[in-house]
Amino acid sequence: MQRKVTFWAAGAALGALSLAGCGSSSSAGTPSAATAATSAATTPAEATAGYTDAEACAWLKQNLGDLPDTEIGAMTQLTLGLSTFFEEHGGLEHADGYVLDEALTRGCPDVLAQALKKAGIKTFGNL
């Protein structure tokens, strides 16, 4: 039962954030710090994803310390944060947790492992 509630809460949070972002342009044209810190060269996988491995790692490293100590809290926070991350990197059509897992595995596997453990999940594809 807890898993159903967990996924429902995470899904509801993602849906609400996605709808709230419609029509807003608070940071249009302003590159994020992670974007500015990465090089222009991207791999084919990065080009398809809409973000580089370094951008994904920078985002996760920046947000890892802010995750709540509960699994449901961490999952919800990650879902909300990733919704914003994907919107800033090509839109929700790039919101594929498994592709994100691959990028983080290439770029910062230790940080990925910490985040997944804190959220009690095996992959971002579960969000």
Side-chain angles (χ1 to χ4, degrees), residues 97-121:
Y98 298 107
V99 173
L100 179 63
D101 285 336
E102 292 171 8
L104 295 169
T105 298
R106 286 188 302 267
C108 53
D110 54 329
V111 177
L112 170 62
Q114 291 174 44
L116 295 178
K117 182 178 180 181
K118 198 158 192 177
I121 56 176

Side-chain angles (χ1 to χ4, degrees), residues 34 38-39 41-47 49-61 85 89 99-108:
T38 59
S39 69
T42 60
T43 66
E46 290 171 334
Y51 51 86
T52 66
D53 297 352
E55 288 171 323
C57 287
W59 177 85
L60 188 56
K61 287 175 186 174
F85 174 81
H89 293 89
V99 173
L100 179 63
D101 285 336
E102 292 171 8
L104 295 169
T105 298
R106 286 188 302 267
C108 53

Side-chain angles (χ1 to χ4, degrees), residues 16-101:
L17 186 60
S18 296
L19 290 175
C22 292
S24 69
S25 59
S26 61
S27 64
T30 305
S32 68
T35 302
T38 59
S39 69
T42 60
T43 66
E46 290 171 334
T48 302
Y51 51 86
T52 66
D53 297 352
E55 288 171 323
C57 287
W59 177 85
L60 188 56
K61 287 175 186 174
Q62 179 182 359
N63 290 281
L64 185 62
D66 295 333
L67 295 179
D69 290 330
T70 64
E71 288 182 0
I72 184 72
M75 281 194 288
T76 302
Q77 188 71 25
L78 285 167
T79 301
L80 293 171
L82 284 171
S83 176
T84 302
F85 174 81
F86 288 130
E87 281 290 341
E88 292 173 351
H89 293 89
L92 290 177
E93 63 270 11
H94 297 291
D96 185 329
Y98 298 107
V99 173
L100 179 63
D101 285 336

